[in-house]
Amino acid sequence: MQLAMIGLGRMGGNMVRRLMRGGHQCVAYDRSEDVIREYEGEGATGARTLHEVAQKLEPPRHIWIMVPAGRPVDETIAGLVPYMSPGDTIIDGGNSRWTDTKRRAAELQERGFNMLDAGTSGGVWGLKVGYCLMIGGPEDAFRQAEPIFATLAPPDGYLHVGPNGAGHYVKMVHNGIEYGMLQAYGEGFEILHASEYGPLLDLRKVAHLWNQGSVVRSWLLELAELAFERDPQLSQIKGYVEDSGEGRWTVQDAIDHNVPAPVITISLLQRFISREEENFSAKVIAALRNEFGGHVVKRV
């Protein structure tokens, strides 16, 4: 198939590579001229404007957007719409909030355009092993674009999960679960590291061991093994953990539906704590313990 990729970052760029290896013709657009030239050198057709993106595709067009959630998605769609034709399809593969996706899909549908939301998981490893795709949108638009998904995903790695918004919603909950898993692994390895056996333990070997048939084996644990192999004490990494927003949305939706989600909620709050140079709440607790019990306070 012929399609365009808008946004050639760590995910979008590798997706273009995987698609071209699968025989698809790709039009590549990015804000960076150097990046466009890089993909032209690998066989993609470069486009310098959104108008060019549309010009270099034959209707019905398939245009995949891989840009940050929020305003960048709205601005990209607004820039494309004047050059699109009825029956064209925009695929949002980023981490958009599902409510935004429903709004965008309704607006595009009024003008005769299709929208698919493709929650995408796989990170930088997707080029090699494929991307897990959670797809929402009209059934007929999904079927028309299915060869794209089949190339990007590993076997059984893509699914049409429902109408517009469903793809991004399923991906949001996926990321919420990921928050909890990461927090559990982080706490477990910290306990090992702090224990009396810490100086003797090779955490890389422990991670490898746990992946050999244990109930906590996972791809994340394989990545932990790689991380400890590169830096056994993680001495070159700061304990600052960012969040993409999807953990917040998951927690908020759990609250809205009266669903208790303590693990995901606490894992989100722990990310906030990781960004504090000085934890003022800990200072308050230390001061109060000193006041009521005379507990020792460490002074600066």
PDB file of all heavy atoms in Angstrom, residues 185-218:
ATOM      1  N   TYR A 185       8.580  -3.930  39.817  1.00  0.00           N
ATOM      2  CA  TYR A 185       9.954  -4.352  39.530  1.00  0.00           C
ATOM      3  C   TYR A 185      10.953  -3.412  40.216  1.00  0.00           C
ATOM      4  O   TYR A 185      11.953  -3.859  40.802  1.00  0.00           O
ATOM      5  CB  TYR A 185      10.219  -4.366  38.023  1.00  0.00           C
ATOM      6  CG  TYR A 185       9.662  -5.578  37.309  1.00  0.00           C
ATOM      7  CD1 TYR A 185       8.897  -5.443  36.155  1.00  0.00           C
ATOM      8  CD2 TYR A 185       9.914  -6.862  37.766  1.00  0.00           C
ATOM      9  CE1 TYR A 185       8.388  -6.542  35.489  1.00  0.00           C
ATOM     10  CE2 TYR A 185       9.417  -7.980  37.101  1.00  0.00           C
ATOM     11  CZ  TYR A 185       8.655  -7.809  35.965  1.00  0.00           C
ATOM     12  OH  TYR A 185       8.162  -8.917  35.312  1.00  0.00           O
ATOM     13  N   GLY A 186      10.686  -2.105  40.120  1.00  0.00           N
ATOM     14  CA  GLY A 186      11.597  -1.144  40.735  1.00  0.00           C
ATOM     15  C   GLY A 186      11.726  -1.362  42.229  1.00  0.00           C
ATOM     16  O   GLY A 186      12.842  -1.370  42.784  1.00  0.00           O
ATOM     17  N   GLU A 187      10.606  -1.559  42.908  1.00  0.00           N
ATOM     18  CA  GLU A 187      10.645  -1.766  44.355  1.00  0.00           C
ATOM     19  C   GLU A 187      11.340  -3.079  44.704  1.00  0.00           C
ATOM     20  O   GLU A 187      12.115  -3.148  45.674  1.00  0.00           O
ATOM     21  CB  GLU A 187       9.218  -1.744  44.906  1.00  0.00           C
ATOM     22  CG  GLU A 187       8.571  -0.371  44.844  1.00  0.00           C
ATOM     23  CD  GLU A 187       7.121  -0.382  45.296  1.00  0.00           C
ATOM     24  OE1 GLU A 187       6.665  -1.430  45.821  1.00  0.00           O
ATOM     25  OE2 GLU A 187       6.445   0.657  45.136  1.00  0.00           O
ATOM     26  N   GLY A 188      11.064  -4.124  43.937  1.00  0.00           N
ATOM     27  CA  GLY A 188      11.689  -5.412  44.212  1.00  0.00           C
ATOM     28  C   GLY A 188      13.194  -5.361  44.120  1.00  0.00           C
ATOM     29  O   GLY A 188      13.914  -5.849  45.016  1.00  0.00           O
ATOM     30  N   PHE A 189      13.688  -4.757  43.046  1.00  0.00           N
ATOM     31  CA  PHE A 189      15.145  -4.671  42.888  1.00  0.00           C
ATOM     32  C   PHE A 189      15.767  -3.735  43.913  1.00  0.00           C
ATOM     33  O   PHE A 189      16.917  -3.928  44.327  1.00  0.00           O
ATOM     34  CB  PHE A 189      15.497  -4.251  41.455  1.00  0.00           C
ATOM     35  CG  PHE A 189      15.424  -5.380  40.468  1.00  0.00           C
ATOM     36  CD1 PHE A 189      14.413  -5.438  39.520  1.00  0.00           C
ATOM     37  CD2 PHE A 189      16.358  -6.402  40.504  1.00  0.00           C
ATOM     38  CE1 PHE A 189      14.339  -6.486  38.623  1.00  0.00           C
ATOM     39  CE2 PHE A 189      16.302  -7.473  39.599  1.00  0.00           C
ATOM     40  CZ  PHE A 189      15.282  -7.510  38.660  1.00  0.00           C
ATOM     41  N   GLU A 190      15.018  -2.713  44.347  1.00  0.00           N
ATOM     42  CA  GLU A 190      15.549  -1.845  45.392  1.00  0.00           C
ATOM     43  C   GLU A 190      15.687  -2.598  46.709  1.00  0.00           C
ATOM     44  O   GLU A 190      16.673  -2.411  47.445  1.00  0.00           O
ATOM     45  CB  GLU A 190      14.668  -0.610  45.588  1.00  0.00           C
ATOM     46  CG  GLU A 190      15.231   0.345  46.637  1.00  0.00           C
ATOM     47  CD  GLU A 190      14.504   1.669  46.722  1.00  0.00           C
ATOM     48  OE1 GLU A 190      13.461   1.815  46.070  1.00  0.00           O
ATOM     49  OE2 GLU A 190      14.992   2.557  47.445  1.00  0.00           O
ATOM     50  N   ILE A 191      14.725  -3.463  47.031  1.00  0.00           N
ATOM     51  CA  ILE A 191      14.822  -4.267  48.248  1.00  0.00           C
ATOM     52  C   ILE A 191      16.052  -5.167  48.178  1.00  0.00           C
ATOM     53  O   ILE A 191      16.816  -5.285  49.149  1.00  0.00           O
ATOM     54  CB  ILE A 191      13.541  -5.097  48.451  1.00  0.00           C
ATOM     55  CG1 ILE A 191      12.351  -4.173  48.746  1.00  0.00           C
ATOM     56  CG2 ILE A 191      13.717  -6.100  49.587  1.00  0.00           C
ATOM     57  CD1 ILE A 191      11.006  -4.865  48.676  1.00  0.00           C
ATOM     58  N   LEU A 192      16.241  -5.815  47.035  1.00  0.00           N
ATOM     59  CA  LEU A 192      17.430  -6.657  46.874  1.00  0.00           C
ATOM     60  C   LEU A 192      18.710  -5.844  47.034  1.00  0.00           C
ATOM     61  O   LEU A 192      19.652  -6.260  47.721  1.00  0.00           O
ATOM     62  CB  LEU A 192      17.411  -7.330  45.493  1.00  0.00           C
ATOM     63  CG  LEU A 192      16.346  -8.391  45.230  1.00  0.00           C
ATOM     64  CD1 LEU A 192      16.409  -8.833  43.773  1.00  0.00           C
ATOM     65  CD2 LEU A 192      16.524  -9.586  46.159  1.00  0.00           C
ATOM     66  N   HIS A 193      18.732  -4.684  46.401  1.00  0.00           N
ATOM     67  CA  HIS A 193      19.928  -3.836  46.411  1.00  0.00           C
ATOM     68  C   HIS A 193      20.257  -3.350  47.816  1.00  0.00           C
ATOM     69  O   HIS A 193      21.431  -3.225  48.190  1.00  0.00           O
ATOM     70  CB  HIS A 193      19.705  -2.649  45.473  1.00  0.00           C
ATOM     71  CG  HIS A 193      20.891  -1.758  45.306  1.00  0.00           C
ATOM     72  ND1 HIS A 193      21.069  -0.597  46.032  1.00  0.00           N
ATOM     73  CD2 HIS A 193      21.979  -1.862  44.491  1.00  0.00           C
ATOM     74  CE1 HIS A 193      22.197  -0.024  45.675  1.00  0.00           C
ATOM     75  NE2 HIS A 193      22.767  -0.763  44.731  1.00  0.00           N
ATOM     76  N   ALA A 194      19.230  -3.092  48.626  1.00  0.00           N
ATOM     77  CA  ALA A 194      19.440  -2.543  49.962  1.00  0.00           C
ATOM     78  C   ALA A 194      19.683  -3.606  51.023  1.00  0.00           C
ATOM     79  O   ALA A 194      20.081  -3.277  52.146  1.00  0.00           O
ATOM     80  CB  ALA A 194      18.222  -1.703  50.359  1.00  0.00           C
ATOM     81  N   SER A 195      19.470  -4.862  50.683  1.00  0.00           N
ATOM     82  CA  SER A 195      19.536  -5.927  51.683  1.00  0.00           C
ATOM     83  C   SER A 195      20.971  -6.262  52.075  1.00  0.00           C
ATOM     84  O   SER A 195      21.937  -5.791  51.470  1.00  0.00           O
ATOM     85  CB  SER A 195      18.858  -7.189  51.135  1.00  0.00           C
ATOM     86  OG  SER A 195      19.694  -7.809  50.168  1.00  0.00           O
ATOM     87  N   GLU A 196      21.093  -7.109  53.100  1.00  0.00           N
ATOM     88  CA  GLU A 196      22.425  -7.554  53.531  1.00  0.00           C
ATOM     89  C   GLU A 196      23.130  -8.343  52.430  1.00  0.00           C
ATOM     90  O   GLU A 196      24.348  -8.472  52.424  1.00  0.00           O
ATOM     91  CB  GLU A 196      22.306  -8.422  54.790  1.00  0.00           C
ATOM     92  CG  GLU A 196      21.502  -9.693  54.596  1.00  0.00           C
ATOM     93  CD  GLU A 196      21.350 -10.482  55.874  1.00  0.00           C
ATOM     94  OE1 GLU A 196      22.358 -11.064  56.344  1.00  0.00           O
ATOM     95  OE2 GLU A 196      20.220 -10.510  56.406  1.00  0.00           O
ATOM     96  N   TYR A 197      22.338  -8.883  51.482  1.00  0.00           N
ATOM     97  CA  TYR A 197      22.917  -9.642  50.382  1.00  0.00           C
ATOM     98  C   TYR A 197      23.219  -8.763  49.165  1.00  0.00           C
ATOM     99  O   TYR A 197      23.790  -9.242  48.183  1.00  0.00           O
ATOM    100  CB  TYR A 197      21.960 -10.763  49.971  1.00  0.00           C
ATOM    101  CG  TYR A 197      21.575 -11.662  51.125  1.00  0.00           C
ATOM    102  CD1 TYR A 197      20.289 -11.606  51.656  1.00  0.00           C
ATOM    103  CD2 TYR A 197      22.497 -12.529  51.700  1.00  0.00           C
ATOM    104  CE1 TYR A 197      19.930 -12.407  52.734  1.00  0.00           C
ATOM    105  CE2 TYR A 197      22.147 -13.328  52.778  1.00  0.00           C
ATOM    106  CZ  TYR A 197      20.867 -13.262  53.288  1.00  0.00           C
ATOM    107  OH  TYR A 197      20.522 -14.052  54.356  1.00  0.00           O
ATOM    108  N   GLY A 198      22.814  -7.490  49.253  1.00  0.00           N
ATOM    109  CA  GLY A 198      22.962  -6.595  48.118  1.00  0.00           C
ATOM    110  C   GLY A 198      24.343  -6.571  47.490  1.00  0.00           C
ATOM    111  O   GLY A 198      24.478  -6.688  46.258  1.00  0.00           O
ATOM    112  N   PRO A 199      25.408  -6.431  48.305  1.00  0.00           N
ATOM    113  CA  PRO A 199      26.751  -6.378  47.721  1.00  0.00           C
ATOM    114  C   PRO A 199      27.148  -7.666  47.001  1.00  0.00           C
ATOM    115  O   PRO A 199      28.071  -7.656  46.173  1.00  0.00           O
ATOM    116  CB  PRO A 199      27.644  -6.129  48.940  1.00  0.00           C
ATOM    117  CG  PRO A 199      26.748  -5.496  49.954  1.00  0.00           C
ATOM    118  CD  PRO A 199      25.418  -6.152  49.749  1.00  0.00           C
ATOM    119  N   LEU A 200      26.485  -8.767  47.331  1.00  0.00           N
ATOM    120  CA  LEU A 200      26.851 -10.058  46.742  1.00  0.00           C
ATOM    121  C   LEU A 200      26.004 -10.418  45.523  1.00  0.00           C
ATOM    122  O   LEU A 200      26.381 -11.280  44.733  1.00  0.00           O
ATOM    123  CB  LEU A 200      26.688 -11.171  47.790  1.00  0.00           C
ATOM    124  CG  LEU A 200      27.446 -10.991  49.102  1.00  0.00           C
ATOM    125  CD1 LEU A 200      27.084 -12.096  50.071  1.00  0.00           C
ATOM    126  CD2 LEU A 200      28.949 -10.962  48.852  1.00  0.00           C
ATOM    127  N   LEU A 201      24.853  -9.745  45.390  1.00  0.00           N
ATOM    128  CA  LEU A 201      23.920 -10.115  44.329  1.00  0.00           C
ATOM    129  C   LEU A 201      24.286  -9.475  42.997  1.00  0.00           C
ATOM    130  O   LEU A 201      24.586  -8.278  42.927  1.00  0.00           O
ATOM    131  CB  LEU A 201      22.497  -9.684  44.705  1.00  0.00           C
ATOM    132  CG  LEU A 201      21.817 -10.476  45.828  1.00  0.00           C
ATOM    133  CD1 LEU A 201      20.505  -9.796  46.207  1.00  0.00           C
ATOM    134  CD2 LEU A 201      21.572 -11.920  45.408  1.00  0.00           C
ATOM    135  N   ASP A 202      24.239 -10.263  41.952  1.00  0.00           N
ATOM    136  CA  ASP A 202      24.368  -9.764  40.590  1.00  0.00           C
ATOM    137  C   ASP A 202      22.938  -9.611  40.062  1.00  0.00           C
ATOM    138  O   ASP A 202      22.282 -10.600  39.714  1.00  0.00           O
ATOM    139  CB  ASP A 202      25.159 -10.761  39.735  1.00  0.00           C
ATOM    140  CG  ASP A 202      25.415 -10.261  38.329  1.00  0.00           C
ATOM    141  OD1 ASP A 202      24.551  -9.536  37.789  1.00  0.00           O
ATOM    142  OD2 ASP A 202      26.466 -10.600  37.748  1.00  0.00           O
ATOM    143  N   LEU A 203      22.441  -8.375  40.034  1.00  0.00           N
ATOM    144  CA  LEU A 203      21.042  -8.155  39.674  1.00  0.00           C
ATOM    145  C   LEU A 203      20.739  -8.540  38.230  1.00  0.00           C
ATOM    146  O   LEU A 203      19.611  -8.921  37.905  1.00  0.00           O
ATOM    147  CB  LEU A 203      20.663  -6.693  39.938  1.00  0.00           C
ATOM    148  CG  LEU A 203      20.740  -6.260  41.410  1.00  0.00           C
ATOM    149  CD1 LEU A 203      20.268  -4.822  41.565  1.00  0.00           C
ATOM    150  CD2 LEU A 203      19.938  -7.191  42.303  1.00  0.00           C
ATOM    151  N   ARG A 204      21.741  -8.471  37.376  1.00  0.00           N
ATOM    152  CA  ARG A 204      21.535  -8.920  35.995  1.00  0.00           C
ATOM    153  C   ARG A 204      21.224 -10.416  35.983  1.00  0.00           C
ATOM    154  O   ARG A 204      20.296 -10.866  35.304  1.00  0.00           O
ATOM    155  CB  ARG A 204      22.761  -8.635  35.143  1.00  0.00           C
ATOM    156  CG  ARG A 204      22.593  -9.049  33.672  1.00  0.00           C
ATOM    157  CD  ARG A 204      23.923  -9.119  32.947  1.00  0.00           C
ATOM    158  NE  ARG A 204      24.769 -10.177  33.473  1.00  0.00           N
ATOM    159  CZ  ARG A 204      24.642 -11.467  33.143  1.00  0.00           C
ATOM    160  NH1 ARG A 204      23.689 -11.874  32.314  1.00  0.00           N
ATOM    161  NH2 ARG A 204      25.470 -12.359  33.651  1.00  0.00           N
ATOM    162  N   LYS A 205      21.983 -11.168  36.766  1.00  0.00           N
ATOM    163  CA  LYS A 205      21.766 -12.618  36.813  1.00  0.00           C
ATOM    164  C   LYS A 205      20.431 -12.954  37.480  1.00  0.00           C
ATOM    165  O   LYS A 205      19.761 -13.919  37.093  1.00  0.00           O
ATOM    166  CB  LYS A 205      22.916 -13.299  37.545  1.00  0.00           C
ATOM    167  CG  LYS A 205      24.230 -13.280  36.771  1.00  0.00           C
ATOM    168  CD  LYS A 205      25.327 -14.026  37.521  1.00  0.00           C
ATOM    169  CE  LYS A 205      26.624 -14.046  36.703  1.00  0.00           C
ATOM    170  NZ  LYS A 205      27.720 -14.746  37.431  1.00  0.00           N
ATOM    171  N   VAL A 206      20.037 -12.165  38.468  1.00  0.00           N
ATOM    172  CA  VAL A 206      18.741 -12.389  39.109  1.00  0.00           C
ATOM    173  C   VAL A 206      17.619 -12.160  38.096  1.00  0.00           C
ATOM    174  O   VAL A 206      16.668 -12.949  38.005  1.00  0.00           O
ATOM    175  CB  VAL A 206      18.566 -11.472  40.331  1.00  0.00           C
ATOM    176  CG1 VAL A 206      17.139 -11.557  40.865  1.00  0.00           C
ATOM    177  CG2 VAL A 206      19.570 -11.835  41.433  1.00  0.00           C
ATOM    178  N   ALA A 207      17.714 -11.055  37.332  1.00  0.00           N
ATOM    179  CA  ALA A 207      16.697 -10.772  36.315  1.00  0.00           C
ATOM    180  C   ALA A 207      16.629 -11.901  35.297  1.00  0.00           C
ATOM    181  O   ALA A 207      15.548 -12.340  34.896  1.00  0.00           O
ATOM    182  CB  ALA A 207      17.002  -9.445  35.634  1.00  0.00           C
ATOM    183  N   HIS A 208      17.803 -12.383  34.882  1.00  0.00           N
ATOM    184  CA  HIS A 208      17.846 -13.488  33.925  1.00  0.00           C
ATOM    185  C   HIS A 208      17.216 -14.742  34.519  1.00  0.00           C
ATOM    186  O   HIS A 208      16.435 -15.442  33.855  1.00  0.00           O
ATOM    187  CB  HIS A 208      19.298 -13.764  33.518  1.00  0.00           C
ATOM    188  CG  HIS A 208      19.440 -14.888  32.538  1.00  0.00           C
ATOM    189  ND1 HIS A 208      19.172 -14.743  31.198  1.00  0.00           N
ATOM    190  CD2 HIS A 208      19.787 -16.193  32.721  1.00  0.00           C
ATOM    191  CE1 HIS A 208      19.359 -15.902  30.583  1.00  0.00           C
ATOM    192  NE2 HIS A 208      19.736 -16.801  31.480  1.00  0.00           N
ATOM    193  N   LEU A 209      17.551 -15.029  35.778  1.00  0.00           N
ATOM    194  CA  LEU A 209      17.004 -16.206  36.445  1.00  0.00           C
ATOM    195  C   LEU A 209      15.489 -16.163  36.500  1.00  0.00           C
ATOM    196  O   LEU A 209      14.804 -17.149  36.188  1.00  0.00           O
ATOM    197  CB  LEU A 209      17.572 -16.292  37.870  1.00  0.00           C
ATOM    198  CG  LEU A 209      16.956 -17.352  38.782  1.00  0.00           C
ATOM    199  CD1 LEU A 209      17.309 -18.744  38.274  1.00  0.00           C
ATOM    200  CD2 LEU A 209      17.420 -17.158  40.220  1.00  0.00           C
ATOM    201  N   TRP A 210      14.941 -15.012  36.894  1.00  0.00           N
ATOM    202  CA  TRP A 210      13.488 -14.892  37.035  1.00  0.00           C
ATOM    203  C   TRP A 210      12.762 -15.059  35.697  1.00  0.00           C
ATOM    204  O   TRP A 210      11.568 -15.357  35.685  1.00  0.00           O
ATOM    205  CB  TRP A 210      13.140 -13.542  37.649  1.00  0.00           C
ATOM    206  CG  TRP A 210      13.412 -13.467  39.129  1.00  0.00           C
ATOM    207  CD1 TRP A 210      13.730 -14.492  39.964  1.00  0.00           C
ATOM    208  CD2 TRP A 210      13.380 -12.286  39.925  1.00  0.00           C
ATOM    209  NE1 TRP A 210      13.900 -14.038  41.243  1.00  0.00           N
ATOM    210  CE2 TRP A 210      13.689 -12.674  41.258  1.00  0.00           C
ATOM    211  CE3 TRP A 210      13.133 -10.941  39.667  1.00  0.00           C
ATOM    212  CZ2 TRP A 210      13.747 -11.757  42.308  1.00  0.00           C
ATOM    213  CZ3 TRP A 210      13.189 -10.031  40.708  1.00  0.00           C
ATOM    214  CH2 TRP A 210      13.491 -10.435  42.020  1.00  0.00           C
ATOM    215  N   ASN A 211      13.470 -14.864  34.611  1.00  0.00           N
ATOM    216  CA  ASN A 211      12.832 -15.039  33.300  1.00  0.00           C
ATOM    217  C   ASN A 211      12.834 -16.488  32.835  1.00  0.00           C
ATOM    218  O   ASN A 211      12.325 -16.789  31.760  1.00  0.00           O
ATOM    219  CB  ASN A 211      13.514 -14.151  32.252  1.00  0.00           C
ATOM    220  CG  ASN A 211      12.715 -12.899  31.964  1.00  0.00           C
ATOM    221  OD1 ASN A 211      11.490 -12.913  31.998  1.00  0.00           O
ATOM    222  ND2 ASN A 211      13.393 -11.806  31.686  1.00  0.00           N
ATOM    223  N   GLN A 212      13.407 -17.378  33.633  1.00  0.00           N
ATOM    224  CA  GLN A 212      13.466 -18.790  33.250  1.00  0.00           C
ATOM    225  C   GLN A 212      12.358 -19.568  33.956  1.00  0.00           C
ATOM    226  O   GLN A 212      12.587 -20.345  34.873  1.00  0.00           O
ATOM    227  CB  GLN A 212      14.845 -19.383  33.582  1.00  0.00           C
ATOM    228  CG  GLN A 212      16.031 -18.565  33.128  1.00  0.00           C
ATOM    229  CD  GLN A 212      15.927 -18.110  31.690  1.00  0.00           C
ATOM    230  OE1 GLN A 212      15.703 -18.927  30.786  1.00  0.00           O
ATOM    231  NE2 GLN A 212      16.119 -16.821  31.461  1.00  0.00           N
ATOM    232  N   GLY A 213      11.122 -19.322  33.553  1.00  0.00           N
ATOM    233  CA  GLY A 213       9.992 -20.105  34.043  1.00  0.00           C
ATOM    234  C   GLY A 213       9.300 -19.573  35.278  1.00  0.00           C
ATOM    235  O   GLY A 213       8.312 -20.158  35.722  1.00  0.00           O
ATOM    236  N   SER A 214       9.786 -18.452  35.864  1.00  0.00           N
ATOM    237  CA  SER A 214       9.132 -17.939  37.070  1.00  0.00           C
ATOM    238  C   SER A 214       7.837 -17.227  36.711  1.00  0.00           C
ATOM    239  O   SER A 214       7.619 -16.830  35.570  1.00  0.00           O
ATOM    240  CB  SER A 214      10.065 -16.995  37.834  1.00  0.00           C
ATOM    241  OG  SER A 214       9.922 -15.662  37.390  1.00  0.00           O
ATOM    242  N   VAL A 215       6.989 -17.006  37.727  1.00  0.00           N
ATOM    243  CA  VAL A 215       5.703 -16.368  37.469  1.00  0.00           C
ATOM    244  C   VAL A 215       5.841 -14.874  37.217  1.00  0.00           C
ATOM    245  O   VAL A 215       4.867 -14.229  36.797  1.00  0.00           O
ATOM    246  CB  VAL A 215       4.715 -16.613  38.635  1.00  0.00           C
ATOM    247  CG1 VAL A 215       4.399 -18.083  38.765  1.00  0.00           C
ATOM    248  CG2 VAL A 215       5.248 -16.052  39.947  1.00  0.00           C
ATOM    249  N   VAL A 216       7.006 -14.274  37.460  1.00  0.00           N
ATOM    250  CA  VAL A 216       7.183 -12.838  37.201  1.00  0.00           C
ATOM    251  C   VAL A 216       7.971 -12.578  35.923  1.00  0.00           C
ATOM    252  O   VAL A 216       8.374 -11.448  35.656  1.00  0.00           O
ATOM    253  CB  VAL A 216       7.850 -12.120  38.405  1.00  0.00           C
ATOM    254  CG1 VAL A 216       6.992 -12.236  39.634  1.00  0.00           C
ATOM    255  CG2 VAL A 216       9.264 -12.647  38.654  1.00  0.00           C
ATOM    256  N   ARG A 217       8.178 -13.611  35.132  1.00  0.00           N
ATOM    257  CA  ARG A 217       8.929 -13.426  33.887  1.00  0.00           C
ATOM    258  C   ARG A 217       8.160 -12.507  32.948  1.00  0.00           C
ATOM    259  O   ARG A 217       6.942 -12.518  32.917  1.00  0.00           O
ATOM    260  CB  ARG A 217       9.218 -14.763  33.214  1.00  0.00           C
ATOM    261  CG  ARG A 217       8.011 -15.506  32.703  1.00  0.00           C
ATOM    262  CD  ARG A 217       8.419 -16.900  32.215  1.00  0.00           C
ATOM    263  NE  ARG A 217       7.313 -17.668  31.673  1.00  0.00           N
ATOM    264  CZ  ARG A 217       6.484 -18.405  32.391  1.00  0.00           C
ATOM    265  NH1 ARG A 217       6.617 -18.452  33.706  1.00  0.00           N
ATOM    266  NH2 ARG A 217       5.508 -19.088  31.804  1.00  0.00           N
ATOM    267  N   SER A 218       8.912 -11.693  32.166  1.00  0.00           N
ATOM    268  CA  SER A 218       8.279 -10.770  31.224  1.00  0.00           C
ATOM    269  C   SER A 218       9.343 -10.126  30.348  1.00  0.00           C
ATOM    270  O   SER A 218      10.542 -10.221  30.622  1.00  0.00           O
ATOM    271  CB  SER A 218       7.510  -9.666  31.966  1.00  0.00           C
ATOM    272  OG  SER A 218       8.412  -8.738  32.542  1.00  0.00           O
TER     273      SER A 218
END
